Amino acid sequence: MSKPLTLISATPSAYARMNRIAFSLKGIPFKVQNEIPWESKTITPQYNPLEKLPILLFPDNRPPVYESAHIQNYIVEKYASVGPLLLPGDLDGNLLAKQIVALSVGCMDALVLSGWEMRRKKEQQSQKWIERQIRKVDGSMRAFNDYVEAANGRPYVLGKEISIADIGIACAVGGIDFVGLRPGWQRQYPALSEYCGRLDRLKEFQDTKPIMFNITEQVV
Ligand SMILES: N[C@@H](CCC(=O)N[C@@H](CS)C(=O)NCC(=O)O)C(=O)O
């Protein structure tokens, strides 16, 4: 049997979670190598000049693939004939699915940036910067809820089958929930809450719930 792919991941990473769920739904075997990308001994910079994970490594030493949205594209295109499509299947539908992935990743970025700023000493923090990032998170949540409401009773935002759009939304909202940024969001967005709750009960989502790691080095 050929050696499996390796995904450099981190236990709390909403970005890597998207890729782990896509691989699992497609039934593609892969190994997870957990890293703490913020620590000096991480191998992450060896494979991505941006020093970020997730990163997909190949057993034959082909150049790695990085950036979570790009890895999602790699998975759906490379394994188009394996398991569920994870895309609507028509050009416009596919582009919309990728747009929703981009929105999900942007929401995760804003969440991470606000989180790091809040970790600084109070006197070093920029409240305006925090507010700016949180505004993006709130805007994304409103947009996610709009997509769910527009689905009008369909089980997934872009149709009857799960797609990378659903994976993106559930991972972004899961990340917000994980850090506790918006307690009570479920009451504000009941449609989004019901939808995420339903996705979170699927095995692939249960198996990848975020787990915090312990950063021992000073980051900012
Ligand atoms: N745009 C990137 C963002 C990934 C990202 O920020 N990953 C975090 C871990 S969850 C990371 O590796 N951060 C290290 C750093 O920013 O130096 C993606 O979508 O893959």
Side-chain angles (χ1 to χ4, degrees):
M1 231 178 53
S2 59
K3 281 196 184 159
L5 303 159
T6 300
L7 187 73
I8 301 185
S9 182
T11 58
S13 174
Y15 304 95
R17 188 181 182 208
M18 292 199 309
N19 303 141
R20 291 163 65 199
I21 291 172
F23 271 132
S24 298
L25 284 169
K26 279 206 166 270
I28 308 295
F30 69 106
K31 256 181 16 197
V32 170
Q33 174 162 345
N34 281 317
E35 286 285 310
I36 301 182
W38 311 101
E39 300 219 316
S40 44
K41 64 178 189 303
T42 180
I43 59 166
T44 309
Q46 290 174 30
Y47 300 104
N48 177 359
L50 300 172
E51 306 192 6
K52 293 181 185 194
L53 57 80
I55 304 168
L56 184 59
L57 302 180
F58 299 91
D60 62 2
N61 293 328
R62 247 177 298 161
V65 176
Y66 45 80
E67 285 290 318
S68 57
H70 189 51
I71 298 174
Q72 284 307 67
N73 290 342
Y74 182 88
I75 295 170
V76 292
E77 287 175 30
K78 187 81 181 178
Y79 302 104
S81 59
V82 182
L85 261 188
L86 301 183
L87 284 172
D90 62 290
L91 180 67
D92 285 332
N94 292 356
L95 287 173
L96 180 55
K98 289 173 186 181
Q99 175 69 77
I100 296 174
V101 173
L103 176 65
S104 306
V105 169
C107 174
M108 295 171 198
D109 288 341
L111 185 68
V112 168
L113 289 175
S114 66
W116 282 116
E117 191 66 19
M118 285 189 262
R119 278 175 74 120
R120 290 178 193 270
K121 292 197 193 89
K122 207 76 196 155
E123 60 277 14
Q124 291 175 346
Q125 286 179 15
S126 162
Q127 288 311 311
K128 288 236 175 298
W129 178 257
I130 293 171
E131 281 162 23
R132 184 175 174 82
Q133 301 310 324
I134 293 181
R135 197 167 70 230
K136 295 170 198 268
V137 173
D138 286 338
S140 305
M141 285 193 98
R142 264 195 311 278
F144 294 149
N145 191 65
D146 288 348
Y147 280 121
V148 173
E149 287 186 348
N152 218 354
R154 285 192 315 251
Y156 301 107
V157 284
L158 299 181
K160 283 196 259 169
E161 306 289 337
I162 191 166
S163 77
I164 52 173
D166 304 293
I167 300 172
I169 295 176
C171 290
V173 174
I176 296 165
D177 227 13
F178 181 60
V179 299
L181 181 72
R182 280 289 179 252
W185 68 268
Q186 294 90 341
R187 279 190 302 283
Q188 192 178 357
Y189 298 120
L192 183 62
S193 167
E194 187 277 329
Y195 161 86
C196 288
R198 197 156 31 79
L199 286 172
D200 276 341
R201 284 191 288 280
L202 300 178
K203 182 176 185 323
E204 295 77 8
F205 289 71
Q206 285 281 324
D207 289 349
T208 55
K209 279 192 183 292
I211 300 168
M212 193 39 84
F213 51 31
N214 183 26
I215 302 178
T216 57
E217 292 174 23
Q218 171 83 24
V219 178
V220 286

